């Protein structure tokens, strides 16, 4: 026994009955002592015993604190002895190393139970003699006692023949045979099958321990019992729970989205690769979806709100999906759902529509009510499909068509979509080349002042002078530029060209201003301010003549930061106009907080005159109160001119006067308009109708 055992001087003296039980041992020549396992104390010892422990007397030995220096392995082993004494009246003959006064003494000890006077089970220890053994053997015995590795010997068809202390401490006492160790019988069957074939096997399996299930690296070998010669199984088991859990967590993180907990892009790509190799009989539907106008949620309410929306979406998806379906987040607000065992029929359509409607239910986050919708593109995956990896792309194309068709709907991919997507991709490639080759040019549309009957400004509008297709209007390429980020580079080109032209007009004495459109992405970038400062520092810079047109959506976010940015721009000598006013989503409180110069009334209000006169008058009144000018866009008829004039609108622009013209025609166009003032009352209905220009397609500004 390790030199860890001790008894307390202040313990109550043993009863006469206990002394009588031990009295016979006092006359023995072998060392015998009684150890109180519960209190870690020696309570009786004969003379050879206290001499073995290098104590001066029995009382001195009992006064030692045996708990000091006792390892947890020894303490657990002694508790195991106590249980065996109680339940099986067992005895043990083992080689132990004692450490009296810190010096090792190896002896063979017989351990047996000893009932104390108060009924508790103690341990009688009898040292049968000192042992001279090789250091390696002594150390191996100690290692066997202290190791955390479970070492067990099982009868092939019966209980454990041997368990080292670690095994005794970990394995439930109710375990009858080797197979009982395994939480999942499949693990045992798999290990045992190879064990029969090869004589040994190894497996990581979940083991039911005395406390909770733990993962163990189990090695098993066929052998013979050294006592009986019967077939046996030698088992070693190492607790690898922490390593297994760490690896499982790493694997989980590798294939899971950390925000929502659903699968990620990497997982769905791996799954599709597997289907491409193995799928022979099953039809799948792959849904590619995203949240409609998700950027506006982030901009208006913050990214914390955006994250909450994504988590709620995943929760609602999971309620609608079954165990065979797969949900993966591709990034941002984009998700993929893989539905198994489906066909493109009414049942599938109903299921997808049900999924979409489940998302459409209002969401509430921190007292804010949100109405969220999704657009979905669907691609079918048939058995033996050789292009499964293209399914995501096909569904993405259908998603794009769904959003272009008005959002909050779903569409199945068809070949027409594929052709249009190919053309769009080709157009994107050509746009990049066009930027490099400077194929974009500026056209200019005059802005007419109704009070002075003169052109007072112009709007710079970009056109693509395609080398093969000729002049392409912005409605064909601006949406692609916005989706791909090309809009920043194109916007920078328009800004620089427009500023150069305004400076040139001012230098030559042409007294008109110039409006230049700035996209939301361009406004939030850093290059805009650098460019504006660069032009403002020029000695020929025309202060107050260059106006930046910014849409309301660009003003969503940190209002104070945006206000400061706008003040910096106006301090540099630029004017600020809100383009398409009345169609945005921002709070109207910005009207008084931002340094604005002009409100441009959106074309949609002008198109619906006279029904929209109250709205237009409301905008005009607001503009007058805060001291900014107004411009009505998209004017195409004399009736619109007359109604806008009667409402008090100051300036107008549109095809009624002229379509946008190239630079070389601008001065002549301006001179013609200045020399032909607008009059009303003398025009007949026929005259007015002759002035009306045919409306062009939306976006062809």
């Amino acid at each position: 026994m390790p030199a860890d055992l001790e008894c307390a001087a202040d313990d109550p003296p043993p009863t006469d009955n206990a002394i009588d039980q031990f009295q016979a041992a006092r006359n023995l020549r072998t060392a015998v002592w009684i150890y109180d396992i519960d209190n870690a104390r020696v309570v009786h010892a004969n003379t050879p015993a206290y001499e073995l422990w290098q104590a001066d007397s029995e009382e001195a030995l009992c006064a030692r604190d045996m708990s000091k220096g006792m390892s947890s392995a020894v303490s657990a082993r002694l508790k195991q002895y106590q249980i065996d004494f109680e339940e099986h009246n067992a005895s043990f003959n083992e080689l132990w190393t004692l450490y009296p006064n810190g010096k090792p003494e190896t002896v063979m000890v017989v351990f047996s139970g000893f009932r104390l006077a108060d009924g508790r089970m103690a341990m009688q220890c009898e040292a049968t003699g000192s042992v001279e053994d090789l250091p390696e053997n002594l150390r191996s015995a100690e290692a066997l006692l202290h190791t955390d590795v479970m070492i067990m010997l099982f009868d092939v068809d019966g209980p454990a023949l041997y368990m080292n202390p670690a095994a005794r401490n970990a394995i439930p006492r109710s375990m009858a045979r080797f197979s009982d160790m395994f939480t999942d019988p499949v693990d045992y069957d798999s290990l045992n099958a190879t064990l029969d074939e090869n004589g040994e096997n190894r497996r990581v399996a979940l083991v039911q321990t005395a406390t909770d299930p733990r993962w163990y690296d189990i090695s098993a070998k066929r052998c013979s019992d050294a006592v009986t010669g019967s077939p046996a199984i030698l088992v070693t088991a190492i607790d690898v729970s922490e390593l297994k859990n760490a690896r499982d967590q790493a694997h989980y993180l590798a294939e899971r989205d950390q925000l929502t907990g659903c699968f990620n892009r990497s997982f769905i790509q791996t799954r599709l690769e597997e289907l491409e190799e193995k799928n022979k009989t099953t039809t799948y539907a792959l849904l590619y979806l995203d949240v409609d106008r998700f950027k506006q949620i982030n901009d208006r309410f913050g990214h914390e709100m955006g994250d909450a929306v994504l988590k709620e979406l995943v929760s609602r998806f999971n309620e609608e999906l079954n165990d065979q379906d797969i949900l993966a987040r591709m990034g941002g607000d984009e998700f993929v759902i893989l539905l198994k065992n489906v066909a493109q029929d009414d049942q599938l359509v109903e299921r997808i529509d049900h999924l979409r409607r489940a998302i459409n239910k209002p969401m509430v986050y921190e007292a804010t009510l949100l109405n969220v919708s999704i657009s979905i593109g669907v691609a079918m995956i048939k058995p033996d499909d050789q292009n499964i990896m293209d399914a995501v792309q096909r569904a993405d194309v259908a998603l794009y068509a769904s959003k272009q068709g008005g959002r909050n709907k779903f569409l199945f991919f068809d070949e027409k979509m594929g052709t249009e997507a190919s053309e769009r991709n080709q157009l994107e490639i050509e746009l990049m080349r066009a930027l490099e080759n400077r194929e974009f040019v500026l056209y200019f549309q005059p802005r007419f002042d109704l009070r002075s009957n003169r052109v007072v400004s112009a709007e710079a509008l970009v056109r693509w002078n395609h080398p093969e297709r000729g002049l392409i209007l912005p409605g064909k390429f601006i949406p692609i530029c916005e989706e791909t980020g090309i809009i920043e580079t194109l916007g920078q080109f328009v800004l620089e060209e427009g500023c150069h032209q305004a400076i040139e007009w001012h230098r030559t004495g042409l007294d008109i201003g110039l409006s230049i459109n700035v996209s939301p992405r361009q406004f939030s970038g850093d290059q805009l301010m650098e460019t504006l400062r660069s032009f403002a520092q020029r000695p020929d810079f025309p202060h107050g003549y260059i106006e930046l047109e910014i849409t309301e959506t660009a003003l969503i976010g940190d209002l104070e930061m945006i206000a400061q940015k706008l003040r910096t721009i106006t301090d540099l000598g630029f004017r600020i106009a809100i383009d398409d006013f009345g169609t945005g989503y921002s709070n109207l409180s910005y009207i008084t907080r931002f340094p604005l110069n002009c409100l441009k009334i959106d074309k949609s209000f002008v198109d619906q005159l006279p029904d929209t006169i109250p709205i237009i008058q409301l905008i005009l009144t607001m503009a007058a109160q805060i001291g900014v000018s107004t411009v009505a866009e998209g004017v195409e008829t004399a009736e619109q001119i007359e109604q806008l004039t009667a409402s008090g609108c100051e300036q107008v622009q549109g095809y009624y006067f002229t379509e946008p013209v190239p630079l070389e025609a601008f001065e002549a166009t301006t001179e013609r308009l200045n020399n032909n003032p607008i009059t009303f009352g003398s025009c007949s209905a026929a005259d007015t109708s002759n002035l009306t220009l045919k409306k062009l397609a939306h976006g062809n500004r």
Side-chain angles (χ1 to χ4, degrees):
M1 180 182 303
D4 316 286
L5 305 178
E6 221 180 80
C7 76
D10 57 353
D11 271 0
T15 65
D16 292 340
N17 184 46
I19 293 175
D20 290 341
Q21 293 182 54
F22 189 72
Q23 191 59 45
R26 297 188 185 280
N27 298 321
L28 296 176
R29 295 183 179 180
T30 58
V32 180
W33 64 97
I34 305 300
Y35 179 67
D36 184 345
I37 299 172
D38 294 327
N39 295 314
R41 306 182 186 286
V42 172
V43 294
H44 301 295
N46 64 4
T47 300
Y50 68 72
E51 289 177 347
L52 173 64
W53 282 97
Q54 299 180 14
D56 293 334
S57 64
E58 181 181 4
E59 291 76 11
L61 179 59
C62 291
R64 288 186 183 178
D65 183 0
M66 288 292 190
S67 64
K68 290 184 178 179
M70 181 182 291
S71 68
S72 59
V74 170
S75 179
R77 181 63 164 163
L78 295 177
K79 290 294 184 182
Q80 293 169 4
Y81 286 167
Q82 188 178 38
I83 293 170
D84 290 337
F85 298 150
E86 290 274 8
E87 297 182 354
H88 308 297
N89 194 26
S91 64
F92 304 97
N93 188 356
E94 292 186 352
L95 187 68
W96 276 63
T97 300
L98 310 180
Y99 295 88
N101 296 324
K103 296 181 180 179
E105 180 73 29
T106 303
V107 292
M108 185 64 69
V109 183
V110 177
F111 301 110
S112 57
F114 185 93
R115 186 73 65 178
L116 297 174
D118 61 4
R120 291 182 298 110
M121 181 61 71
M123 180 170 66
Q124 178 176 295
C125 310
E126 180 182 359
T128 59
S130 299
V131 176
E132 298 293 335
D133 209 339
L134 295 175
E136 290 80 4
N137 294 339
L138 297 178
R139 288 166 181 158
S140 65
E142 284 291 283
L144 191 64
L145 173 66
H146 290 280
T147 183
D148 291 330
V149 177
M150 293 197 299
I151 302 175
M152 297 161 283
L153 187 68
F154 288 92
D155 184 275
V156 170
D157 298 315
L161 303 173
Y162 168 78
M163 288 187 178
N164 74 332
R168 288 286 305 275
N169 191 50
I171 296 299
R173 293 160 57 195
S174 60
M175 189 183 73
R177 50 178 50 86
F178 179 40
S179 60
D180 294 340
M181 285 182 58
F182 297 87
T183 301
D184 188 349
V186 174
D187 288 328
Y188 170 75
D189 294 339
S190 176
L191 184 144
N192 196 50
T194 308
L195 190 63
D196 290 337
E197 182 179 346
N198 300 330
E200 62 180 66
N201 197 3
R202 180 178 177 183
R203 187 177 188 84
V204 174
L206 193 61
V207 172
Q208 180 59 56
T209 69
T211 54
D212 56 0
R214 304 279 294 177
W215 289 98
Y216 278 84
D217 184 353
I218 301 173
S219 294
K221 294 183 179 180
R222 292 284 187 182
C223 64
S224 297
D225 178 16
V227 177
T228 65
S230 301
I233 302 173
L234 178 64
V235 178
T236 60
I238 303 173
D239 190 338
V240 294
S241 297
E242 283 72 20
L243 178 60
K244 176 71 165 54
N245 292 336
R247 288 182 175 177
D248 289 348
Q249 180 67 8
H251 180 70
Y252 177 89
L253 294 176
E255 62 182 25
R256 293 279 180 170
D257 173 58
Q258 295 188 33
L259 174 65
T260 63
C262 66
F263 291 110
N264 58 18
R265 177 188 292 270
S266 176
F267 177 86
I268 197 67
Q269 288 178 336
T270 301
R271 180 72 178 120
L272 292 176
E273 289 172 358
E274 293 172 353
L275 288 181
E276 194 161 82
E277 295 178 1
K278 301 176 182 178
N279 185 40
K280 305 297 181 184
T281 60
T282 306
T283 298
Y284 293 83
L286 190 143
L287 283 57
Y288 203 125
L289 55 96
D290 72 3
V291 183
D292 296 331
R293 299 183 176 91
F294 183 70
K295 184 178 183 301
Q296 292 178 9
I297 295 176
N298 277 333
D299 290 342
R300 294 181 68 187
F301 303 107
H303 288 275
E304 185 176 346
M305 173 78 84
D307 290 347
V309 168
L310 296 179
K311 291 177 183 178
E312 177 63 19
L313 285 176
V314 169
S315 177
R316 295 188 183 187
F317 286 144
N318 287 331
E319 290 178 0
E320 303 297 327
L321 302 177
N322 58 46
D323 293 339
Q324 293 183 319
D325 301 327
I326 296 174
L327 169 66
R329 183 185 178 200
M330 303 299 282
D333 63 318
E334 296 181 342
F335 293 85
V336 159
I337 296 177
L338 189 63
L339 303 178
K340 188 177 182 181
N341 291 323
V342 297
Q344 189 172 342
D345 55 17
D346 293 342
Q347 186 177 3
L348 174 59
V349 169
E350 182 179 350
R351 186 178 181 191
I352 297 174
D353 191 53
H354 183 76
L355 180 69
R356 184 183 59 81
R357 285 186 278 109
I359 300 302
N360 285 355
K361 296 177 182 178
M363 298 182 184
V364 178
Y365 178 75
E366 292 186 351
T368 300
L369 181 67
L370 288 177
N371 292 307
V372 177
S373 65
I374 58 174
S375 298
I376 307 174
V378 186
M380 302 304 296
I381 300 176
K382 302 296 181 64
D384 293 319
D385 191 336
Q386 299 301 310
N387 297 306
I388 288 181
M389 293 306 295
D390 295 336
V392 173
Q393 182 178 359
R394 297 197 299 269
D396 191 18
V397 169
L399 170 62
Y400 178 81
S402 174
K403 297 183 82 68
Q404 291 296 106
R407 297 183 174 87
N408 193 21
K409 61 174 61 178
F410 63 91
L411 292 175
F412 286 85
F413 174 84
D414 58 31
E415 293 304 323
K416 180 182 178 182
M417 292 181 189
T419 301
E420 292 174 349
S422 297
E423 293 175 352
R424 178 175 169 275
N425 291 338
Q426 180 61 34
L427 192 62
E428 182 179 336
I429 295 172
E430 293 182 6
L431 279 169
M432 296 298 295
R433 183 208 64 203
L435 285 170
E436 295 176 0
N437 297 340
R438 300 185 69 82
E439 295 175 6
F440 293 98
V441 295
L442 293 187
Y443 272 50
F444 302 89
Q445 186 173 48
R447 182 195 297 180
F448 198 81
D449 184 82
L450 295 175
R451 295 166 302 182
S452 63
N453 272 332
R454 296 189 62 82
V455 173
V456 293
S457 185
E459 181 177 357
L461 301 167
V462 67
R463 300 290 186 264
W464 182 4
N465 191 13
H466 196 284
E468 298 174 0
R469 306 181 197 177
L471 201 66
I472 299 178
L473 297 176
K476 294 290 186 181
F477 61 84
I478 289 295
I480 298 176
C481 292
E482 290 175 340
E483 293 169 12
T484 59
I486 298 175
I487 192 68
E488 290 188 67
T489 306
L490 180 58
Q492 181 66 18
F493 164 80
V494 172
L495 179 62
E496 292 178 357
E497 289 294 303
C499 287
H500 282 301
Q501 189 57 57
I503 291 173
E504 178 62 19
W505 282 343
H506 188 66
R507 187 187 65 80
T508 59
L510 188 61
D511 187 24
I512 64 172
L514 181 64
S515 295
I516 303 171
N517 288 282
V518 174
S519 71
R521 186 189 292 260
Q522 187 181 5
F523 181 75
S524 62
D526 297 328
Q527 192 174 12
L528 174 68
M529 296 306 300
E530 295 178 6
T531 303
L532 297 181
R533 287 191 180 94
S534 175
F535 278 102
Q537 291 170 359
R538 293 180 50 160
D540 53 357
F541 176 70
H543 285 263
Y545 277 80
I546 300 177
E547 185 175 75
L548 305 183
E549 293 192 13
I550 303 171
T551 61
E552 287 182 278
T553 54
L555 304 178
I556 298 175
D558 187 334
L559 294 183
E560 185 54 42
M561 182 185 69
I562 294 172
Q564 180 58 47
K565 190 171 188 176
L566 292 176
R567 283 192 291 268
T568 302
I569 291 174
T570 55
D571 289 344
L572 290 174
F574 294 89
R575 291 167 53 86
I576 301 294
I578 302 300
D579 195 17
D580 302 332
F581 183 76
T583 62
Y585 299 88
S586 58
N587 192 324
L588 288 180
S589 65
Y590 73 79
I591 290 293
T592 58
R593 298 183 61 178
F594 296 162
L596 305 179
N597 303 106
C598 177
L599 299 180
K600 300 196 73 173
I601 301 172
D602 187 68
K603 181 179 185 296
S604 61
F605 297 127
V606 176
D607 288 342
Q608 299 176 61
L609 283 170
D611 295 338
T612 53
I613 285 179
I615 298 176
I616 292 176
Q617 287 179 336
L618 179 64
I619 295 174
L620 295 173
T621 301
M622 183 188 304
Q625 289 178 346
I626 63 176
V628 302
S629 62
T630 53
V631 180
E633 299 181 281
V635 176
E636 298 180 354
T637 69
E639 291 95 329
Q640 292 171 345
I641 292 288
E642 189 167 5
Q643 291 162 354
L644 289 168
T645 301
S647 297
C649 185
E650 302 169 5
Q651 299 176 12
V652 291
Q653 72 179 75
Y655 279 34
Y656 176 82
F657 301 99
T658 176
E659 62 183 29
V661 296
L663 177 62
E664 55 270 20
F666 179 75
E667 291 192 31
T669 302
T670 300
E671 185 177 352
R672 175 178 59 81
L673 292 174
N674 288 339
N675 293 331
N676 292 277
I678 298 174
T679 58
F680 298 107
S682 59
C683 291
S684 66
D687 293 333
T688 302
S689 64
N690 289 334
L691 294 173
T692 303
L693 297 176
K694 183 180 179 181
K695 294 183 180 180
L696 300 183
H698 175 68
N700 291 350
R701 289 174 28 180

